[in-house]
Amino acid sequence: MATQKISLNWKEGVHFESEGPGGNVLIDGSEEVGGQGKGLRPKALMLSALAGCSGIDIASLVKKMRIEIDTFDIDVEAELTEEHPKFYHKVWVNFNFYGDNLNEKKIEKAVTLSVDTYCGVMEMFRQFATVETKINYFPKK
């Protein structure tokens, strides 16, 4: 069974550096708990992981399926519960594709494969949140 490991190093206050396979990420708390805006907040990092996981899948599938696009981006928005411990219970993921003459059928297949089959972070989110996805198409940037 595969395992992963990170190391979290305290910098100062509530500022940390996470070291893991492939790179480092700076993490900081909100101002109300002493943060200074020196890194992503932990919950935002979870949303970045969700977008990154699906983004990697889609970039790979776009190449493999020879889908012609100019570029794409992913916007994630999430709603926290009211009570502590606050966690995301609703998540909206918007897949935005840019280009002329986009093949919507192929793009939809690539997104569906990521969302339903390949993205493990998406599946993790489904264990505690309702996740809604939407594909948007735009002219070339």
Side-chain angles (χ1 to χ4, degrees), residues 54-67 106 109-114 118:
S54 204
I56 289 169
D57 291 342
I58 291 168
S60 175
L61 290 163
V62 160
K63 182 178 180 183
K64 183 186 262 186
M65 296 169 67
R66 296 184 177 123
I67 302 171
K106 278 188 169 185
K109 183 176 181 178
V111 171
T112 300
L113 281 168
S114 174
Y118 296 128

Side-chain angles (χ1 to χ4, degrees), residues 94-128:
N94 283 295
F95 297 90
N96 305 308
F97 292 87
Y98 302 85
D100 298 324
N101 303 314
L102 294 171
N103 185 329
E104 294 181 12
K105 188 173 181 175
K106 278 188 169 185
I107 290 170
E108 184 178 327
K109 183 176 181 178
V111 171
T112 300
L113 281 168
S114 174
V115 168
D116 293 342
T117 305
Y118 296 128
C119 181
V121 179
M122 184 76 69
E123 185 57 32
M124 286 182 216
F125 265 81
R126 283 194 193 98
Q127 301 303 308
F128 57 84

